[in-house]
Amino acid sequence: GHPTGRTAALTELVDLYPTLAELCALPAPETDGVSFAAMLRDPASPHRETAMSSYPRAGARGWSIRTADARYTEWRDLKTGELRATELYDHRIDPEENVNRASEAGREEEVEALSAMLAARRRGE
């Protein structure tokens, strides 16, 4: 039979190409993507610890990192790269991302850690 089920595992759009190549038994492409074919066979399979995305908006670019528990975003000026704003959403208590907790007291270490993770992903580490 075929596996059924849902997963909350994180993926990125760049994972699609290597996944399709694996499923079609084609040579693995050289991309930053990671095949999630194993997850299609077993939804409980682990995949990525983080997923990164970016969005342009009003002269800025938002760089976002998603973990199992949170989404953290830094909005940077398109020309200077200067940090304009940050957003932190705690998916454990706010899965719809209604309350930005980036400046909330007691969240400083979490913001610092997520910012470092985001910087490492942007550098390709």
Side-chain angles (χ1 to χ4, degrees):
H2 296 287
T4 60
R6 297 177 76 155
T7 181
L10 301 171
T11 61
E12 295 181 357
L13 187 56
V14 296
D15 298 339
L16 191 57
Y17 186 14
T19 302
L20 291 174
E22 181 179 340
L23 293 174
C24 296
L26 296 171
E30 288 190 31
T31 71
D32 291 337
V34 179
S35 172
F36 57 83
M39 245 184 351
L40 297 175
R41 292 185 285 274
D42 176 8
S45 295
H47 189 59
R48 289 181 175 271
E49 289 186 23
T50 64
M52 186 176 69
S53 56
S54 71
Y55 335 85
R57 181 177 76 190
R61 178 165 294 276
W63 292 94
S64 184
I65 192 162
R66 175 75 162 87
T67 68
D69 296 329
R71 176 183 310 280
Y72 173 75
T73 304
E74 292 182 350
W75 291 96
R76 297 191 170 272
D77 186 279
L78 280 176
K79 293 179 182 168
T80 66
E82 181 183 341
L83 184 64
R84 285 188 178 178
T86 57
E87 297 177 30
L88 172 63
Y89 299 100
D90 185 336
H91 282 232
R92 294 165 295 195
I93 58 175
D94 181 18
E96 295 178 356
E97 299 186 355
N98 292 311
V99 179
N100 179 1
R101 300 177 187 282
S103 59
E104 195 172 84
R107 299 270 183 166
E108 297 85 1
E109 286 184 22
E110 182 179 8
V111 166
E112 188 176 313
L114 288 166
S115 181
M117 289 171 68
L118 177 59
R121 284 295 312 274
R122 286 188 62 199
R123 287 191 302 269
E125 296 175 4

